[in-house]
């Protein structure tokens, strides 16, 4: 069976969207575990954080402090 290019593109986009949603869930769960809550500042960096490469994703989540995450992916806690 041969699929149209439009179908294949839609399928790939759906797969990528699913991956992004899964990553967002990972980030939220790890933030809750590490920082007890997801405040406005942490919530504001989730979109940027899920865009990093596969190789960086988990190490960043597990190794960077809250302040380091905010500095790298969003606004800093300190002015």
């Amino acid at each position: 069976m041969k699929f149209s290019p439009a179908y294949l593109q839609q399928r790939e986009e759906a797969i990528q969207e699913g991956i992004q949603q899964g990553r967002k869930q990972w980030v939220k769960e790890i933030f809750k575990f590490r920082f007890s809550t997801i405040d406005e500042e942490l919530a504001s960096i989730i979109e940027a954080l899920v865009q990093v490469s596969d190789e960086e994703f988990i190490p960043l989540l597990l190794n960077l402090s809250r302040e380091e995450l905010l500095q790298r992916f969003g606004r800093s806690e300190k002015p």
Side-chain angles (χ1 to χ4, degrees):
M1 179 182 291
K2 188 170 181 171
F3 296 107
S4 74
Y7 169 79
L8 293 173
Q9 182 179 355
Q10 280 185 317
R11 182 172 175 254
E12 182 61 29
E13 289 171 3
I15 290 169
Q16 291 304 315
E17 185 176 327
I19 291 169
Q20 293 299 315
Q21 290 299 322
R23 280 183 156 209
K24 286 178 190 177
Q25 192 60 39
W26 272 90
V27 170
K28 289 176 184 177
E29 293 301 320
I30 291 172
F31 279 0
K32 285 181 204 174
F33 179 78
R34 290 191 65 204
F35 309 120
S36 300
T37 187
I38 301 174
D39 62 17
E40 184 179 317
E41 285 186 307
L42 287 174
S44 73
I45 66 169
I46 291 173
E47 287 295 327
L49 185 55
V50 299
Q51 301 300 319
V52 300
S53 70
D54 292 342
E55 295 80 23
E56 289 184 292
F57 183 67
I58 295 296
L60 288 173
L61 282 176
L62 298 180
N63 295 318
L64 294 185
S65 69
R66 181 183 192 281
E67 292 75 25
E68 290 169 325
L69 287 165
L70 291 171
Q71 286 176 348
R72 180 158 177 180
F73 295 101
R75 59 182 184 246
S76 175
E77 208 174 72
K78 299 173 185 172

